[in-house]
C-alpha cells in the first residue's frame, strides 16, 4: 500500500528528528528534515488531490494540505509532523478498509474447461481445450464439463446447465442438440462436433461479461468525503477571520491544526472495518468498506432462483402409484434398481430412500438415455422414461421432471421431483421489504411458469424468466436511479457477471460456484438466505455508528477551532488535542464491532416451504 509506506516514512523521519533535536540538540537540522519531508508529502497529496478532482470526486485533502503548509510556514514543524502522522495513518487505515479483491476473473478462468478428448479414427487423444477446432469430434465422459460449444452426434444424456442458464431441471440432449461449454454431463459418454472454438464459447463469454462489468464500476462518494466540503469551508472561514482580526499568521495555522480532518479520515474507516469484522463473525464476508455504505441504502434487490431462492438440488416431490401398487413399494424397488446408477435423478431417489435398507439388484442392465432394468426381490423392475417402462402407453409424459416405474411388466407409477424453496426464503424477502428494499426481483434462466409459482410463494415483486447472463445484466442496468443502489444475490457461474455489474453483488458461497464468490462484493459463507438481511442490518448499524463518530469529531473540532481563533491554543498543543479528538472518534466508531439484536427471519417456515 502506498499510504502505508508513507506512514512508515513519516514516523521514521519523526523519530530521526527527535534524536537530532533532543539527542544532539540540532534543532535546525530537525526543522529542516521535517520541513523538507512535510513539503514533499504535501506536494504528493496535492498531486493526488488534482487527480481526484479530475476524476470528478472530491475529498478532505485540501484542508489537510493547507494545515501542513501553514504549520511549516510559521515554523510549527512539530505540529506539522503530528498532523502528517495522523493523515498518513488515516489514509493507510482507509486503504485497508477499502481494499478490493482483484481475482474476479481468476476463478472463472481456473474453473473453465481445460482438457478435451478428441476422437480421431476411433482413437481418443487428450488435448488442451484451446486446441479444439471447429469440426473436431470430441468425447465428453460422464461427470465432465462440456469443453466448447457444439452439437451432439452420438449418444444421449442429461446435462446440468444450471451454472450457465439457472435452469434447475437437468436437460436431456439427443442427436443434433446443442451443447454449451460449462454444462456438466450427467450419466453417459457422448460424442459431439465442435461448433465454436473455446474463445467464442459460452463459458468464455461469461469471462468477457465480467471484464466489461469490472471496467465500468459504479461511482459512489465515500462517507467522509460527503462532509469534506462544508467542513473545509467552515474551517477556512474561522481561520481567515482569526488571522484578519489578529494580524498574526500563526493564528491561521493554529486554527487549521485543530481543524485537520483526522476524525473524518479515521472515524469512518474504523467503523467500516469494525462492521466488516462483525459481518465475518456472522458468516458474511464483506470485501470492501464502501459495500457496507451501499447496502445500507439499498432500494432494490434481485435474486437468482436456482440455488438462491431454491436449494438448487432436485428432491423427490411425490410418488403417484397406480392401482394395486403402493408408494412405499414403488420407492423401495425403484431405489434398489437405481442404487448403482450414476444418473442424476437416480441419486435423488436413493437419497430419498436412505432411511430404509435397499435390496440387491440382479441382472442389472442400463439402456442409455432410457432407463434401467433389474431384478429386485424376485420382481422385474424397469425405471426410466415412460416410453421405456410402458411402451404401449398412450399417456403423455408429465411436464415436470419425473421418472416412471414398471413392475413385472405392469406400469406401477411415477416419481416426480422438485427444486425446493428454501424454508427461510419467504421470511427473508418479507424482512427485506421491512428494511426499506422497495423492489425485490427474480432474474432467472428457468421457465416462466416455474419462476412465477416460486415468486408467488415467497413474495417476489417482479419476475423476469428465461434469461441468459447477458439478459440479467440488461435488467440490472435498467433499474432507474431512484431505485438504486441495487443488490444482486446469486450462486452460479452464470451469476458472476450480474454480481459484478450490480451495485452490490452477494454470492451464496456455501455451495455456490467459486466464480460467483470471486465476482461478488459480499459472500455468505453459510447456506442461509436470511444472512442477506443480516448483512443489510449490520451495514445500516455500521453506517449509523460511523456517522455518529464523524459528527462527534466535527463538533469537537468546531469548538476547538473557535477556541483556537482566540490564540490561547498553541499549534503543537492543538495538534495534541487532535489526538484526543481522534481517540474519542475512534472509540465511538469501534461500537460497530458489537452485535446487537437483529430481525429473525428464520424463526418460522413459510407454509409453502413447509409443504415442499
Amino acid at each position: 500500500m502506498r499510504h502505508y509506506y508513507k506512514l512508515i516514512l513519516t514516523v521514521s523521519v519523526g523519530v530521526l528528528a527527535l534524536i537530532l533535536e533532543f539527542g544532539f540538540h540540532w534543532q535546525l537540522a530537525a526543522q529542516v528534515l521535517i520541513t523538507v519531508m512535510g513539503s514533499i508529502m504535501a506536494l504528493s497529496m496535492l498531486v493526488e488531490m488534482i487527480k481526484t478532482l479530475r476524476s470528478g470526486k472530491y475529498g478532505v485533502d485540501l484542508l489537510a494540505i493547507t494545515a501542513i503548509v501553514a504549520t511549516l510556514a510559521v515554523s510549527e514543524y512539530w505540529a506539522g509532523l503530528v498532523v502528517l502522522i495522523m493523515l498518513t495513518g488515516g489514509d493507510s487505515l482507509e486503504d485497508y478498509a477499502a481494499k478490493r479483491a482483484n481475482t474476479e476473473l481468476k476463478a472463472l478462468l481456473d474453473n473453465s474447461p481445460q482438457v478435451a478428448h478428441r476422437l480421431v479414427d476411433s482413437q481418443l487423444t487428450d488435448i488442451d481445450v484451446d486446441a479444439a477446432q471447429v469440426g473436431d469430434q470430441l468425447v465428453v465422459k460422464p461427470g465432465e464439463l462440456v469443453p466448447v460449444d457444439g452439437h451432439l452426434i452420438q449418444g444421449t444424456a442429461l446435462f446440468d446447465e444450471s451454472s450457465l442458464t439457472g435452469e434447475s431441471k437437468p436437460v436431456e440432449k439427443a442427436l443434433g442438440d446443442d451443447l454449451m461449454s460449462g454444462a456438466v454431463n450427467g450419466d453417459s459418454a457422448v460424442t459431439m462436433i465442435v461448433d465454436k472454438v473455446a474463445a467464442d464459447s459460452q463459458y468464455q463469454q461469461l469471462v468477457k461479461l465480467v471484464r466489461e462489468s469490472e471496467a465500468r464500476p459504479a461511482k459512489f462518494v465515500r462517507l467522509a468525503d460527503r462532509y469534506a466540503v462544508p467542513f473545509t469551508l467552515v474551517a477556512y472561514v474561522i481561520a481567515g477571520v482569526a488571522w484578519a482580526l489578529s494580524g498574526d499568521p500563526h493564528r491561521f495555522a493554529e486554527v487549521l491544526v485543530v481543524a485537520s480532518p483526522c476524525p473524518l479520515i479515521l472515524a469512518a474507516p474504523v467503523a467500516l472495518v469494525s462492521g466488516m469484522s462483525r459481518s465475518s463473525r456472522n458468516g458474511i464476508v464483506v470485501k470492501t468498506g464502501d459495500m457496507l455504505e451501499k447496502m445500507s441504502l439499498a432500494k432494490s434487490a434481485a435474486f437468482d432462483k436456482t440455488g438462491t431462492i431454491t436449494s438448487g438440488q432436485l428432491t423427490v416431490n411425490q410418488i403417484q402409484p397406480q392401482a394395486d401398487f403402493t408408494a412405499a413399494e414403488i420407492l423401495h424397488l425403484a431405489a434398489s434398481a437405481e442404487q448403482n446408477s450414476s444418473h442424476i435423478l437416480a441419486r435423488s431417489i436413493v437419497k430419498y430412500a436412505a432411511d430404509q435398507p435397499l435390496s440387491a439388484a440382479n441382472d442389472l442392465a442400463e439402456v442409455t438415455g432410457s432407463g434401467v432394468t433389474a431384478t429386485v426381490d424376485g420382481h422385474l423392475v424397469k425405471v426410466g422414461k415412460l416410453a421405456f417402462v410402458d411402451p404401449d402407453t398412450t399417456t403423455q409424459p408429465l411436464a415436470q421432471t419425473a421418472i416412471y416405474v414398471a413392475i413385472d411388466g405392469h406400469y406401477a407409477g411415477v416419481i416426480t421431483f422438485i427444486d425446493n424453496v428454501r424454508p427461510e426464503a419467504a421470511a427473508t424477502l418479507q424482512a427485506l421489504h421491512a428494511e426499506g428494499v422497495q423492489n425485490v426481483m427474480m432474474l432467472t434462466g428457468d421457465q416462466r411458469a416455474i419462476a412465477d409459482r416460486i415468486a408467488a410463494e415467497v413474495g417476489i415483486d417482479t419476475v423476469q424468466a428465461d434469461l441468459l447472463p447477458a439478459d440479467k445484466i440488461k435488467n440490472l442496468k435498467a433499474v432507474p436511479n431512484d431505485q438504486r443502489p441495487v443488490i444482486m444475490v446469486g450462486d452460479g457461474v452464470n451469476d458472476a457477471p450480474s454480481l459484478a455489474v450490480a451495485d452490490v453483488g452477494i454470492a451464496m458461497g456455501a455451495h455456490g460456484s467459486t466464480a460467483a464468490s470471486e465476482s461478488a462484493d459480499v459472500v455468505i459463507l453459510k447456506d442461509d438466505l436470511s444472512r442477506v438481511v443480516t448483512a443489510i442490518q449490520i451495514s445500516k448499524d455500521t453506517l449509523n455508528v460511523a456517522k455518529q463518530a464523524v459528527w462527534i469529531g466535527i463538533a469537537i473540532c468546531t469548538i476547538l477551532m473557535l477556541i483556537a481563533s482566540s490564540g490561547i491554543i498553541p499549534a503543537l498543543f492543538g495538534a495534541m488535542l487532535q489526538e484526543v479528538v481522534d481517540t474519542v472518534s475512534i472509540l465511538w466508531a469501534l461500537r460497530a464491532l458489537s452485535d446487537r439484536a437483529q430481525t429473525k427471519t428464520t424463526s418460522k417456515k413459510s407454509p409453502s416451504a413447509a409443504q415442499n
Side-chain angles (χ1 to χ4, degrees):
M1 294 183 201
R2 239 180 355 163
H3 291 132
Y4 172 76
Y5 293 121
K6 285 184 179 180
L7 174 62
I8 296 299
L9 174 62
T10 303
V11 172
S12 300
V13 168
V15 171
L16 180 58
L18 283 171
I19 295 173
L20 290 175
E21 180 159 344
F22 299 102
F24 295 97
H25 304 291
W26 294 347
Q27 181 269 336
L28 181 60
Q31 180 177 353
V32 170
L33 179 63
I34 294 175
T35 301
V36 171
M37 186 273 296
S39 300
I40 293 173
M41 287 288 192
L43 180 62
S44 172
M45 292 174 67
L46 179 62
V47 172
E48 287 187 14
M49 184 189 72
I50 293 173
K51 290 180 179 178
T52 300
L53 291 173
R54 284 180 175 176
S55 68
K57 301 178 182 178
Y58 53 87
V60 294
D61 299 328
L62 182 59
L63 184 58
I65 294 170
T66 309
I68 295 169
V69 172
T71 52
L72 296 178
V74 296
S75 299
E76 296 285 356
Y77 53 95
W78 288 114
L81 177 65
V82 173
V83 173
L84 268 173
I85 290 175
M86 289 301 98
L87 292 175
T88 53
D91 285 340
S92 299
L93 188 57
E94 188 170 8
D95 278 349
Y96 172 72
K99 66 179 179 180
R100 294 185 175 274
N102 294 318
T103 54
E104 287 85 357
L105 293 176
K106 184 176 183 297
L108 277 174
L109 294 170
D110 287 349
N111 290 295
S112 61
Q114 301 294 324
V115 177
H117 311 298
R118 184 159 56 192
L119 182 64
V120 179
D121 297 330
S122 301
Q123 296 293 321
L124 278 183
T125 305
D126 287 350
I127 61 171
D128 187 88
V129 70
D130 292 326
Q133 300 297 316
V134 175
D136 283 352
Q137 290 189 15
L138 304 178
V139 172
V140 184
K141 299 177 181 179
E144 289 187 340
L145 291 170
V146 176
V148 293
D149 287 359
H151 65 274
L152 201 60
I153 62 168
Q154 183 177 334
T156 59
L158 287 175
F159 286 82
D160 180 1
E161 297 180 343
S162 59
S163 65
L164 295 163
T165 66
E167 171 69 67
S168 59
K169 178 180 175 181
V171 180
E172 183 179 357
K173 299 290 185 178
L175 297 182
D177 287 346
D178 291 331
L179 299 179
M180 290 191 292
S181 63
V184 181
N185 183 15
D187 49 10
S188 60
V190 297
T191 305
M192 61 175 287
I193 291 286
V194 177
D195 292 336
K196 294 180 181 178
V197 296
D200 298 328
S201 292
Q202 183 71 21
Y203 211 102
Q204 295 301 323
Q205 290 304 308
L206 293 177
V207 176
K208 181 181 178 182
L209 287 171
V210 172
R211 283 199 180 103
E212 291 175 351
S213 300
E214 288 294 303
R216 295 189 297 273
K219 292 184 179 180
F220 197 76
V221 181
R222 296 176 303 169
L223 174 66
D225 293 344
R226 293 198 290 275
Y227 297 91
V229 171
F231 182 75
T232 300
L233 293 176
V234 170
Y236 280 150
V237 168
I238 296 175
V241 170
W243 185 4
L245 294 178
S246 66
D248 184 1
H250 284 78
R251 197 70 55 84
F252 183 81
E254 289 165 357
V255 172
L256 289 187
V257 164
V258 296
S260 64
C262 297
L264 272 71
I265 295 176
L266 289 172
V270 167
L272 294 179
V273 170
S274 299
M276 293 163 69
S277 176
R278 178 180 164 194
S279 297
S280 295
R281 291 202 308 269
N282 284 273
I284 304 162
V285 176
V286 181
K287 295 183 180 179
T288 62
D290 61 335
M291 289 303 130
L292 289 173
E293 294 191 56
K294 293 183 182 182
M295 279 195 293
S296 70
L297 301 171
K299 296 179 182 177
S300 299
F303 289 81
D304 175 47
K305 182 186 72 67
T306 305
T308 305
I309 297 294
T310 67
S311 65
Q313 299 176 346
L314 287 174
T315 57
V316 173
N317 181 32
Q318 290 182 330
I319 302 174
Q320 302 172 6
Q322 295 292 301
D324 301 328
F325 295 96
T326 66
E329 180 184 14
I330 291 173
L331 176 63
H332 174 74
L333 294 176
S336 298
E338 292 275 30
Q339 61 186 308
N340 295 317
S341 175
S342 61
H343 193 284
I344 297 171
L345 299 182
R347 293 194 294 269
S348 295
I349 297 174
V350 173
K351 183 178 180 181
Y352 188 76
D355 60 345
Q356 58 178 282
L358 300 180
S359 301
N362 300 313
D363 303 321
L364 180 66
E366 185 165 354
V367 180
T368 302
S370 296
V372 299
T373 61
T375 301
V376 180
D377 294 339
H379 298 286
L380 177 62
V381 181
K382 298 177 74 175
V383 183
K385 294 181 179 179
L386 180 58
F388 172 69
V389 302
D390 190 7
D392 300 325
T393 186
T394 57
T395 304
Q396 292 296 316
L398 298 178
Q400 66 189 110
T401 306
I403 63 170
Y404 302 85
V405 182
I407 301 174
D408 294 327
H410 300 285
Y411 175 55
V414 59
I415 302 174
T416 62
F417 298 82
I418 192 172
D419 184 8
N420 285 321
V421 173
R422 290 178 181 268
E424 74 276 13
T428 296
L429 299 183
Q430 184 178 1
L432 276 179
H433 284 108
E435 291 294 334
V437 179
Q438 303 162 2
N439 182 24
V440 178
M441 303 172 283
M442 179 190 288
L443 305 179
T444 179
D446 215 337
Q447 302 170 26
R448 165 64 66 174
I450 296 175
D452 285 341
R453 174 179 60 81
I454 291 177
E457 286 185 17
V458 300
I460 294 287
D461 298 320
T462 58
V463 179
Q464 298 293 336
D466 300 309
L467 302 179
L468 291 174
D471 300 321
K472 292 185 179 182
I473 288 180
K474 289 178 182 177
N475 277 273
L476 288 171
K477 289 182 176 180
V479 175
N481 290 333
D482 62 353
Q483 294 184 23
R484 289 182 178 273
V486 59
I487 293 172
M488 175 67 196
V489 186
D491 78 314
V493 174
N494 66 303
D495 297 319
S498 302
L499 295 175
V501 82
D503 296 319
V504 182
I506 301 180
M508 301 295 292
H511 299 296
S513 76
T514 303
S517 297
E518 292 292 349
S519 296
D521 306 295
V522 179
V523 180
I524 296 176
L525 300 179
K526 298 181 180 179
D527 194 25
D528 182 358
L529 192 62
S530 69
R531 302 278 168 168
V532 174
V533 179
T534 303
I536 291 176
Q537 292 170 337
I538 290 176
S539 67
K540 286 187 173 183
D541 196 23
T542 299
L543 264 292
N544 285 334
V545 171
K547 289 176 182 178
Q548 292 165 5
V550 168
W551 275 113
I552 288 173
I554 287 176
I556 297 176
C557 281
T558 303
I559 293 172
L560 289 176
M561 281 191 289
L562 293 173
I563 297 174
S565 65
S566 66
I568 64 175
I569 301 180
L572 181 56
F573 183 63
M576 295 302 178
L577 285 177
Q578 269 295 317
E579 300 287 350
V580 177
V581 179
D582 297 341
T583 301
V584 171
S585 298
I586 289 173
L587 288 176
W588 193 273
L590 287 173
R591 293 176 64 248
L593 278 169
S594 303
D595 282 316
R596 281 172 276 282
Q598 285 147 14
T599 304
K600 300 297 182 182
T601 61
T602 58
S603 57
K604 294 181 180 180
K605 294 184 180 181
S606 64
S608 58
Q611 290 171 4
N612 287 331

